[in-house]
Amino acid sequence: MELGIDSFAATLPDPKTGRTVPAAERMERLLAEVEVADRVGLDVFGIGEHHREEFLDAAPAVILAAAAARTRRIRLTSAVTVLSAADPVRVFQEFATLDLIAKGRAEIVVGRGSFGEAYPLFGFAVEDYADLFAEKLGLLLKLREQTHVTWRGRFRPPLNGQGVYPRPHQAKLPVWVGVGGTPASFARAGSLGLPLMVAIIGGSFQRFRPLVDLYREAGRKAGHAPEMLKVGLHAIGFVADTDRAAVEAFYPGWAQMFRKIGQERGWSGAALDQQFEAMCGPYGAYLVGAPESVAAKVRAASEALGGVSRLTFQMSSAMQEPEAMQRSIELLGTEVAPRLRRQP
């Protein structure tokens, strides 16, 4: 199993001091986190895409390019690229360029994203999400196969054989499909034979098993080899020296973030501490704890989903001190990963 980290470059006030880290300082901290992840042997680092005041990741390919220049081995990916609101030609060009800088370490995870601001910002209707995504994913996949593309669709001017450059370092730029809980999204990814990245930020891992089975069955029916149908898992997590230290370090920032999002979406803000404790417990979907606890829960998550090829931790929080974040990354690479790699 590959292990890695996803970051959304959040920049919220510290819940204890009220201080907001300046954007340039926050970005430098993020790049330092990628360097640590590379040094301790983690497999992948992802940068999300949001178009909101509290996030700095509106241009993930730019951040990943900076990270590529400071790392040697770790793979670098979006988490996710909001493809429905983007131009697939530009997305391909940006990640092909990243792949050249990184010498073959770039990947793309495409999906809807967890917020809708990108759609009106770039002139699209969020109600057209499904049609936009299907059309643009088809074009993106065609672009990675062919330099000169002839194509016509509803949402973009046609291509009439123009060359799309640069071409990536890799023969075939990896494209994953990021999904939440929509069955059609799982089935589409399987039918196309694309690797799947499942975002689980609540509930339990087990409840996603029917959807993962749907993905695998759709891939089988489409004639794709089982080894092509990789399942990745994106989950909230944080590692510290003890279970209690991990909970106490991660909870304040998590609560502030979820309180803000909850107010926007009309969620109940009651008993956040109890919700958090439940999610960190044996049946919840948070990977928060000491290395041995986190490794055991990762193994359980993989078993629940019938085998996971990649697991990425959404552990970044603007409220974490740099030392705590870097320590968590180090523990993930030096304590959690070896425990999992020793498994048959």
Side-chain angles (χ1 to χ4, degrees):
M1 182 192 299
E2 294 179 328
L3 287 182
I5 296 168
D6 290 332
S7 175
F8 298 161
T11 176
L12 287 169
D14 187 295
K16 296 179 181 177
T17 67
R19 176 179 180 263
T20 300
V21 175
E25 181 181 343
R26 176 70 182 102
M27 194 66 75
E28 180 60 30
R29 290 183 182 184
L30 173 58
L31 293 173
E33 291 166 14
V34 187
E35 288 185 276
V36 174
D38 186 50
R39 175 173 56 79
V40 300
L42 291 177
D43 299 291
V44 61
F45 203 107
I47 301 293
E49 179 188 340
H50 301 84
H51 300 272
R52 297 168 57 92
E53 182 180 11
E54 66 268 29
F55 299 109
L56 301 177
D57 58 358
V62 177
I63 302 173
L64 292 168
R70 298 168 64 152
T71 56
R72 292 286 180 268
R73 193 194 62 82
I74 196 166
R75 298 192 68 78
L76 302 165
T77 183
S78 57
V80 302
T81 294
V82 185
L83 186 62
S84 298
D87 181 350
V89 174
R90 288 300 287 161
V91 169
F92 181 84
Q93 290 176 322
E94 289 168 356
F95 280 85
T97 303
L98 168 64
D99 199 49
L100 294 174
I101 296 169
K103 295 182 175 62
R105 293 184 284 131
E107 301 186 3
I108 311 174
V109 180
V110 296
R112 177 176 182 171
S114 54
F115 297 94
E117 286 81 3
Y119 294 89
L121 182 63
F122 295 109
F124 298 102
V126 70
E127 309 87 66
D128 292 332
Y129 159 71
D131 291 339
L132 283 161
F133 187 78
E135 178 177 297
K136 293 185 177 188
L137 178 58
L139 175 55
L140 180 66
L141 296 178
K142 196 168 186 177
L143 290 166
R144 74 170 181 168
E145 300 291 340
Q146 304 173 23
T147 302
H148 297 272
V149 172
T150 298
W151 175 91
R152 185 175 299 273
R154 288 175 54 199
F155 300 104
R156 189 200 184 280
L159 295 172
N160 300 302
Q162 300 99 315
V164 177
Y165 303 103
R167 306 308 296 178
H169 184 78
Q170 297 173 88
K172 195 170 186 176
L173 192 64
V175 176
W176 295 62
V177 177
V179 296
T182 305
S185 298
F186 285 79
R188 178 193 294 116
S191 297
L192 293 171
L194 296 174
L196 184 78
M197 180 58 68
V198 187
I200 301 180
I201 60 172
S204 68
F205 298 115
Q206 184 63 48
R207 73 185 181 94
F208 282 82
R209 179 62 182 267
L211 294 170
V212 172
D213 287 345
L214 174 64
Y215 160 74
R216 291 183 170 125
E217 179 62 15
R220 186 193 66 78
K221 287 183 176 178
H224 300 296
E227 58 269 21
M228 293 181 61
L229 303 173
K230 299 179 180 178
V231 175
L233 176 60
H234 163 103
I236 289 175
F238 189 80
V239 190
D241 292 295
T242 68
D243 291 342
R244 180 47 52 185
V247 167
E248 291 178 353
F250 197 67
Y251 175 76
W254 174 89
Q256 182 169 351
M257 176 72 75
F258 272 74
R259 192 172 288 115
K260 177 177 175 60
I261 296 171
Q263 288 173 350
E264 293 180 6
R265 299 184 178 182
W267 299 344
S268 171
L272 273 180
D273 55 342
Q274 296 177 22
Q275 294 175 33
F276 184 78
E277 289 280 359
M279 286 297 97
C280 294
Y283 304 108
Y286 288 3
L287 305 169
V288 177
E292 58 272 21
S293 300
V294 171
K297 202 165 184 183
V298 169
R299 285 193 293 269
S302 182
E303 291 171 4
L305 296 177
V308 169
S309 298
R310 173 180 292 180
L311 196 149
T312 55
F313 285 64
Q314 184 3 40
M315 65 166 59
S316 67
S317 167
M319 290 65 72
Q320 287 294 338
E321 291 297 321
E323 295 80 7
M325 282 298 303
Q326 292 189 21
R327 175 61 175 163
S328 185
I329 294 168
E330 288 176 352
L331 288 170
L332 184 59
T334 63
E335 297 289 338
V336 177
R339 283 176 165 84
L340 295 170
R341 289 166 183 158
R342 285 196 295 266
Q343 298 300 308

